[in-house]
Amino acid sequence: QKARVDIEDAKYTNDNGLIALTAQGKSPYQSPGHMALQSGDNLTLAGGTYYFESMRLTGGATITTTGPTTIYIAGDVDCTGGGIVNQTQSPHDLTIMSAGPTFRLGGGSAFYGTLSAPNADVVLGSNAVFYGVVIAKILELKGDTTIHVDESLPNYESIGAPMPSLVK
């Protein structure tokens, strides 16, 4: 079992120095720490631990992870115009820990992983298929979104998230 890592620790101890240019040869940052991709661009992240102040994917842009990866995000996430691709398709290989108030993930593609955003309003977009676990303050499913819970993933009580409940 992995030791719990605080998001502040991840800010200073991470693999961000390994991040290369995007597929289109651009910097993946809009400003320091703020990840922003657009116009069908892709950023590939090797397995590791990464930290961002915020994340925004538009115009069909994607982030592709190639091995066990943990991404910590301090602020808002808006990936309604793009996607996060876990190349291994194992929910155990991608964990996103978000401390921000909003997390939006677009539809139309499959997401394999754990999304822990206990303080966030999480919106999963139309026709999204989610394999793994979602922890959110409020979870909104748009359109025909489907979640397949992987019960073999770790229990996240240790992060201080409240006990989940389902509200219709």
Side-chain angles (χ1 to χ4, degrees):
Q1 180 176 338
K2 275 186 171 180
R4 182 174 167 224
V5 176
D6 186 273
I7 197 162
E8 285 300 312
D9 293 339
K11 183 175 184 175
Y12 301 104
T13 306
N14 57 57
D15 296 309
N16 285 26
L18 301 176
I19 296 175
L21 296 177
T22 68
Q24 295 177 2
K26 299 176 182 175
S27 169
Y29 297 105
Q30 179 178 22
S31 61
H34 296 274
M35 171 69 61
L37 303 176
Q38 57 189 351
S39 303
D41 208 352
N42 177 264
L43 177 67
T44 299
L45 297 176
T49 300
Y50 300 93
Y51 171 87
F52 305 112
E53 292 290 331
S54 67
M55 181 183 293
R56 182 178 169 97
L57 303 176
T58 60
T62 54
I63 292 177
T64 301
T65 61
T66 61
T69 303
T70 302
I71 300 172
Y72 292 89
I73 306 165
D76 290 327
V77 175
D78 184 353
C79 297
T80 53
I84 301 170
V85 179
N86 175 351
Q87 199 170 53
T88 70
Q89 294 187 345
S90 170
H92 293 269
D93 286 345
L94 178 58
T95 301
I96 299 176
M97 305 289 281
S98 175
T102 60
F103 193 107
R104 290 176 169 64
L105 185 62
S109 63
F111 177 91
Y112 295 84
T114 297
L115 169 57
S116 178
N119 301 316
D121 294 346
V122 174
V123 178
L124 300 181
S126 301
N127 303 315
V129 180
F130 195 100
Y131 297 92
V133 173
V134 179
I135 298 170
K137 177 179 169 188
I138 296 173
L139 176 61
E140 181 180 348
L141 306 178
K142 298 233 180 202
D144 293 331
T145 298
T146 305
I147 298 177
H148 301 273
V149 176
D150 187 332
E151 294 178 356
S152 71
L153 290 166
N155 182 332
Y156 280 88
E157 288 177 6
S158 63
I159 65 169
M163 287 301 296
S165 61
L166 180 61
V167 179
K168 278 191 162 191

